[in-house]
Amino acid sequence: LSLRPLRHLGRLSYAYYLFNAIALWSLVRIASAWGFGQGSSVNDANQMLRATLLMMLALATTLAVSELAHRYIEIPSIMFGRWAQRAMLQRFADPSSGTASR
């Protein structure tokens, strides 16, 4: 068993954290639209199946959105931050540029 998938999930954890609340809110909205928990027993097999499907859908959707956010927002932002940091350090640490005295 490789730990590579777990490392990838670790990289996605911040984006997952951000989007999990949205997915859970959507889950509640969908469940109420489907009438989950209304008019039948909680132990009803249909209710349990619906709840399981909604939780799996929320998990899959959150993971997919987290992957996209990580790939197209988080990584480019980190790269930009590193570039900006290097540019600022070069500008203010280089005595020959004449800007260090400002």
Side-chain angles (χ1 to χ4, degrees):
L1 180 67
S2 173
L3 295 177
R4 190 173 179 184
L6 293 178
R7 285 193 306 262
H8 186 68
L9 282 176
R11 287 185 204 106
L12 296 180
S13 64
Y14 183 68
Y16 187 86
Y17 163 75
L18 291 177
F19 292 106
N20 190 36
I22 296 168
L24 290 176
W25 178 79
S26 300
L27 171 75
V28 169
R29 300 284 297 189
I30 292 170
S32 65
W34 279 4
F36 180 71
Q38 299 172 0
S40 63
S41 169
V42 174
N43 295 327
D44 184 24
N46 264 347
Q47 294 289 346
M48 295 303 285
L49 178 62
R50 285 180 186 177
T52 303
L53 290 174
L54 285 172
M55 285 186 277
M56 289 172 37
L57 179 64
L59 175 66
T61 302
T62 304
L63 284 174
V65 170
S66 298
E67 175 70 37
L68 292 172
H70 177 72
R71 186 175 295 177
Y72 296 111
I73 297 172
E74 192 173 348
I75 290 175
S77 297
I78 290 170
M79 290 172 52
F80 175 75
R82 289 178 181 163
W83 172 84
Q85 181 183 22
R86 281 192 308 270
M88 295 299 285
L89 286 174
Q90 285 177 348
R91 179 177 176 158
F92 292 110
D94 187 9
S96 64
S97 68
T99 58
S101 61
R102 288 186 185 180

